[in-house]
Amino acid sequence: MFKGDRTTPPLTVMGLMSGTSVDGVDACLARFALESGQLRYEIIATHSQTMPAELRERLLRCMADKQIHLQEFCRLNVEVGTLFAETAWALMQTHHITAAEIDAIGSHGQTLYHWPPSQSGQLGGTLQIGEPSLIAEKTGVLTIADFRPRDMAAGGHGAPLVCFADQLLFQHEAMGRCIQNIGGIANVTVVPSLADAQQKHLPVIAFDTGPGNMLMDAAMDHFFSKAYDADGAVAASGQVHAGLLAHLLSHPYLGQCPPKTTGRELFGAPYFQQLLSQFAEIAPADWVATLNRFTAASIVDAYQRFVFPRYAVSELVVGGGGSFNPVLLENLRALFAEQKQPVPKQSILVKTHAQFGIPDQYKEALAFALLAWANVEGIPNNIPTCTGAQHAVIMGKRVT
Amino acid sequence: MFKGDRTTPPLTVMGLMSGTSVDGVDACLARFALESGQLRYEIIATHSQTMPAELRERLLRCMADKQIHLQEFCRLNVEVGTLFAETAWALMQTHHITAAEIDAIGSHGQTLYHWPPSQSGQLGGTLQIGEPSLIAEKTGVLTIADFRPRDMAAGGHGAPLVCFADQLLFQHEAMGRCIQNIGGIANVTVVPSLADAQQKHLPVIAFDTGPGNMLMDAAMDHFFSKAYDADGAVAASGQVHAGLLAHLLSHPYLGQCPPKTTGRELFGAPYFQQLLSQFAEIAPADWVATLNRFTAASIVDAYQRFVFPRYAVSELVVGGGGSFNPVLLENLRALFAEQKQPVPKQSILVKTHAQFGIPDQYKEALAFALLAWANVEGIPNNIPTCTGAQHAVIMGKRVT
């Protein structure tokens, strides 16, 4: 996978992550080494810490206002940094691991704002807080943080970054894989087989396939005042409504060519409300069943349009909250089994991260451990075919 | 000066600085090496670039409002970073220096806000912008930036940082030196002789002595609508008013023990207006002459109270705008010559940075080159006795 079939001695690196839900910090300690260019890894320990309610409220307020007092900015940077530092420290204490046993810590920080580059070539900017100096001070470990700006300085979007980990963790000699994250929005990293990458020069690509749990969650909230459909129980009790499904599948986002990203603007509550007024007669459980099927169908549809024509794919590795919804996984399996022509029909196994020994909750923390590991090894860790950067760079700022 | 009398091969490092006046970026390229623990340095090239008026206005507005939209934050970070990158690049182009010839760039960035630690031990925070990734991308040189947070993570004020350069540039085997910067506010770094540092364990200390050019400039603006007293011409034409001088010398700040800092709150325009109403009869040139003498006297007074009782000082090295005012330098010389007892009278030479081969405009840029050099060499670059940090750290975040 790496030029020259490099072999590197094992390094032990911790990744720290707090996502857009701002509910806590996840830490994952892992050991990484290259053997003849192939990544070997082992997860050593994980730990998570809840975001204090008061701090969470201030962060969400700032994100909603998109405006901040400079002193509050400094305070949040220090308080989030302290929380990250405490999470790293707690992992070390809990597992009796000393600073001398850890080579580096990679911290994503907390995103407050992301201003993507314009199509005309104007560079974008991004704002992650959580002062890494506090992590270095508390743990005594080299800390690498603020990864996105380096990719953006090279003209990239500074996202997605996890595709680097997807390639290292999942690239197989002979099998192509789609690493499908199903959070609020669903996004895929297409990792060609090593053979295809080398012989056909197929790049790793990544894009948002469409809604993840967002529409199902909106229906659960509306009809059942619940945050989500636990274990897919409601979807399992309902019937798919063919008219609604056909309407959903006509959404113009599905036909757009990658690279593409989407969010709450397209598939959030207003869209669900509009659907509700158009399909007033459908029973609540049928809504959830149909939206579940649509979510799976939008993923399979994206592959048929944009992935299968170029990539031979043997496995789908599902992650995010959606990977805990057995009805969604079943829908994916069923839809792959009944794929439409003319694209060559592919026989695809649907797996979860857990089947690869990666706890779903810690996937992103593991990804930031890997990004930091690459920084230490001097290995470029952005994927220009995913971020749009003009060239490969080594992302991350080092603090000792 | 450094433990083990280290010797290091020469490194070529560029420093980039934009100060509180936000009028431009100064770049200074220098070569540094340790010979048996002593710094050897040579300034290779300097360059400066004016801050575009529109960008300056937006930065000053943000500092005045102490409030910012997150997108404007991202934009300013990118635009200031681009300006820093262009300044570094222009120095390289002008002097035909390639990336391969430069080992590192140290960038201070532009301070937007500084939130000092509380006396009760609550950590402070700070906010410097000017994305260093853009400097690394444009120049292809390892860039080290955002120095202050690491000192603050160790409980320090993240300031002053230049005292590290003052020690390396000016510490003498046998002579104690005061490095006196006279900007709007005047501040000193007291650098004991190497002999005193080693035998008496005298630390480097730094504090604000009081007003720098601030009061003189206020009088020049009020009476003559000029920004400052060029060459001290107005002061030279006036007489010192004994009553006003005595009143000024009774200012309580002068008696406060270091560490201490001051600013526009104490010695700004409101204070000058108050003086004006108390001493309405004094002629304009006499105002300027008296404020010039007071500025010098407040510096000498600070040394007599807080420096001379412990430190043997042979030389004063003046920097900042005040070093271009010959009347101010003459006042300093005269006041040192007529020092009061009981403190041992010291015979002090008043020199400028130029006499040491350091162009005054580039002193701070040179200081940030030195801070970056130390980061590369793994040498701690904060001075805890100046910043208040609990221990020495290596400041700066590295981007490649």
Side-chain angles (χ1 to χ4, degrees):
Chain A
M1 188 178 306
F2 290 100
K3 285 190 186 115
D5 285 350
R6 267 180 76 176
T7 291
T8 65
L11 292 183
T12 304
V13 185
M14 193 191 306
L16 297 171
M17 178 73 201
S18 170
T20 46
S21 55
V22 201
D23 45 17
V25 182
D26 295 322
C28 178
L29 185 71
R31 196 168 290 130
F32 304 109
L34 285 183
E35 275 179 34
S36 305
Q38 285 294 310
L39 181 77
R40 302 286 173 250
Y41 72 96
E42 176 195 358
I43 294 173
I44 299 168
T46 58
H47 186 81
S48 76
Q49 206 135 320
T50 306
M51 181 72 67
E54 187 260 350
L55 180 55
R56 178 168 194 267
E57 200 179 291
R58 284 160 57 204
L59 288 166
L60 291 174
R61 192 183 313 139
C62 169
M63 291 175 201
D65 293 350
K66 298 184 172 50
Q67 178 98 11
I68 194 169
H69 189 281
L70 297 179
Q71 180 171 312
E72 174 69 353
F73 179 92
C74 288
R75 279 178 185 276
L76 286 176
N77 190 37
V78 167
E79 290 178 44
V80 172
T82 301
L83 180 68
F84 273 68
E86 284 168 354
T87 307
W89 187 241
L91 182 147
M92 292 164 70
Q93 296 289 99
T94 309
H95 296 273
H96 307 289
I97 294 164
T98 65
E101 296 171 83
I102 306 180
D103 295 288
I105 293 174
S107 172
H108 173 263
Q110 177 69 55
T111 299
L112 281 189
Y113 197 81
H114 193 75
W115 175 51
S118 74
Q119 292 194 323
S120 63
Q122 162 72 49
L123 295 175
T126 188
L127 176 51
Q128 271 70 231
I129 62 165
E131 180 51 48
S133 299
L134 294 159
I135 304 171
E137 171 73 12
K138 178 88 178 177
T139 60
V141 177
L142 164 69
T143 300
I144 304 166
D146 208 14
F147 290 85
R148 300 190 192 275
R150 187 65 190 86
D151 180 77
M152 301 185 89
H157 281 251
L161 300 190
V162 171
C163 50
F164 177 76
D166 286 337
Q167 177 178 17
L168 264 70
L169 297 171
F170 294 109
Q171 193 158 43
H172 187 273
E173 286 287 336
M175 282 194 289
R177 285 173 170 155
C178 284
I179 318 307
Q180 179 70 50
N181 181 59
I182 307 176
I185 288 294
N187 58 284
V188 67
T189 306
V190 183
V191 182
S193 70
L194 203 52
D196 278 358
Q198 287 168 347
Q199 288 152 27
K200 299 187 191 163
H201 303 289
L202 283 181
V204 175
I205 58 168
F207 61 94
D208 288 353
T209 50
N213 304 304
M214 193 172 276
L215 283 172
M216 293 185 275
D217 291 352
M220 287 303 296
D221 180 57
H222 178 80
F223 293 116
F224 303 97
S225 299
K226 297 221 163 132
Y228 65 102
D229 181 15
D231 293 324
V234 174
S237 73
Q239 298 287 322
V240 171
H241 183 285
L244 173 57
L245 181 63
H247 176 79
L248 286 161
L249 284 169
S250 71
H251 194 292
Y253 181 78
L254 276 57
Q256 274 177 41
C257 286
K260 59 178 179 175
T261 58
T262 185
R264 215 163 274 283
E265 318 78 66
L266 279 193
F267 295 107
Y271 179 60
F272 176 69
Q273 288 301 327
Q274 183 195 313
L275 292 172
L276 265 182
S277 63
Q278 287 176 265
F279 294 88
E281 77 290 0
I282 301 178
D286 294 352
W287 269 102
V288 178
T290 307
L291 292 170
N292 189 309
R293 176 74 65 90
F294 168 60
T295 302
S298 67
I299 291 169
V300 175
D301 180 80
Y303 293 4
Q304 287 190 310
R305 290 183 198 246
F306 310 117
V307 180
F308 295 159
R310 294 178 65 203
Y311 293 81
V313 176
S314 307
E315 289 188 342
L316 179 72
V317 186
V318 180
S323 68
F324 296 100
N325 186 323
V327 178
L328 185 59
L329 299 188
E330 202 37 62
N331 271 322
L332 283 167
R333 291 192 181 98
L335 287 161
F336 281 123
E338 60 185 51
Q339 282 166 71
K340 299 173 296 196
Q341 298 298 336
V343 188
K345 182 168 167 148
Q346 310 207 10
S347 170
I348 293 183
L349 274 179
V350 176
K351 296 185 170 181
T352 63
H353 280 67
Q355 288 172 268
F356 290 83
I358 300 170
D360 205 85
Q361 180 184 350
Y362 295 100
K363 160 77 185 289
E364 289 201 304
L366 177 66
F368 279 88
L370 256 174
L371 287 164
W373 166 81
N375 181 300
V376 172
E377 291 288 8
I379 296 170
N381 53 8
N382 69 332
I383 299 190
T385 50
C386 295
T387 65
Q390 280 159 21
H391 56 90
V393 296
I394 297 175
M395 300 185 294
K397 299 175 182 170
R398 294 194 192 199
V399 189
T400 50
Chain B
M1 189 179 304
F2 289 99
K3 284 190 188 116
D5 285 350
R6 270 181 74 177
T7 292
T8 64
L11 292 183
T12 303
V13 186
M14 194 192 306
L16 297 171
M17 177 73 203
S18 170
T20 46
S21 54
V22 201
D23 43 18
V25 182
D26 295 321
C28 178
L29 184 71
R31 197 168 289 130
F32 304 109
L34 285 181
E35 274 179 36
S36 304
Q38 286 292 313
L39 181 76
R40 302 284 173 250
Y41 72 96
E42 175 197 357
I43 294 174
I44 299 167
T46 59
H47 187 81
S48 76
Q49 205 136 324
T50 304
M51 180 73 66
E54 187 262 348
L55 180 56
R56 179 168 194 266
E57 200 180 291
R58 283 159 60 204
L59 289 165
L60 291 174
R61 190 183 316 137
C62 169
M63 291 175 200
D65 293 351
K66 297 184 171 53
Q67 179 99 10
I68 194 168
H69 189 282
L70 297 180
Q71 180 172 311
E72 173 70 352
F73 178 93
C74 288
R75 277 179 186 276
L76 285 177
N77 190 39
V78 167
E79 290 180 43
V80 172
T82 301
L83 180 67
F84 273 68
E86 284 168 354
T87 307
W89 186 242
L91 182 148
M92 292 165 70
Q93 295 289 97
T94 308
H95 296 271
H96 307 288
I97 295 164
T98 64
E101 297 171 85
I102 305 180
D103 295 289
I105 293 174
S107 171
H108 174 263
Q110 177 70 54
T111 299
L112 281 189
Y113 197 80
H114 193 76
W115 174 51
S118 73
Q119 293 194 322
S120 63
Q122 162 71 51
L123 295 175
T126 188
L127 176 49
Q128 271 71 230
I129 62 165
E131 182 51 48
S133 298
L134 294 159
I135 305 171
E137 171 74 13
K138 178 89 179 176
T139 62
V141 177
L142 164 69
T143 301
I144 306 168
D146 208 14
F147 290 85
R148 302 189 191 276
R150 187 65 190 87
D151 179 77
M152 302 185 89
H157 281 251
L161 299 190
V162 172
C163 51
F164 176 77
D166 286 337
Q167 178 178 18
L168 265 70
L169 297 171
F170 294 110
Q171 193 158 46
H172 186 272
E173 286 286 336
M175 283 196 289
R177 284 173 172 154
C178 284
I179 318 307
Q180 179 70 51
N181 180 59
I182 307 177
I185 288 295
N187 59 282
V188 67
T189 306
V190 183
V191 182
S193 70
L194 203 52
D196 278 359
Q198 286 169 347
Q199 288 152 28
K200 299 187 189 164
H201 303 290
L202 283 181
V204 174
I205 59 167
F207 61 94
D208 287 353
T209 52
N213 304 305
M214 192 173 276
L215 283 172
M216 294 185 277
D217 290 352
M220 287 302 296
D221 181 56
H222 179 80
F223 293 116
F224 302 98
S225 300
K226 298 223 162 127
Y228 65 101
D229 182 14
D231 293 324
V234 175
S237 72
Q239 298 287 321
V240 171
H241 184 284
L244 173 58
L245 181 64
H247 176 78
L248 287 160
L249 284 168
S250 71
H251 194 292
Y253 181 78
L254 276 60
Q256 274 177 41
C257 287
K260 60 178 179 177
T261 58
T262 185
R264 215 161 274 284
E265 318 78 68
L266 277 193
F267 295 108
Y271 178 60
F272 176 69
Q273 288 301 326
Q274 183 194 315
L275 292 172
L276 265 184
S277 63
Q278 286 176 270
F279 294 88
E281 77 288 2
I282 301 178
D286 294 353
W287 268 104
V288 178
T290 307
L291 292 170
N292 189 309
R293 176 73 65 88
F294 168 60
T295 303
S298 67
I299 291 169
V300 176
D301 180 80
Y303 293 3
Q304 287 191 312
R305 291 181 199 245
F306 310 116
V307 181
F308 296 160
R310 293 177 67 202
Y311 292 81
V313 176
S314 308
E315 289 188 342
L316 179 72
V317 186
V318 181
S323 68
F324 295 99
N325 186 321
V327 178
L328 185 59
L329 299 188
E330 201 37 61
N331 271 322
L332 284 166
R333 290 191 182 99
L335 287 162
F336 281 124
E338 62 185 51
Q339 280 165 73
K340 296 171 302 194
Q341 298 301 333
V343 189
K345 183 166 165 151
Q346 309 204 14
S347 171
I348 293 180
L349 275 179
V350 177
K351 296 184 169 178
T352 62
H353 280 68
Q355 289 172 267
F356 290 83
I358 301 170
D360 206 86
Q361 180 184 350
Y362 295 100
K363 161 74 184 291
E364 290 200 303
L366 177 66
F368 278 87
L370 257 174
L371 288 162
W373 165 82
N375 180 302
V376 172
E377 289 289 7
I379 295 170
N381 53 7
N382 69 332
I383 300 191
T385 51
C386 294
T387 65
Q390 279 157 24
H391 56 88
V393 297
I394 297 175
M395 301 184 295
K397 298 175 182 169
R398 292 191 193 201
V399 189
T400 49

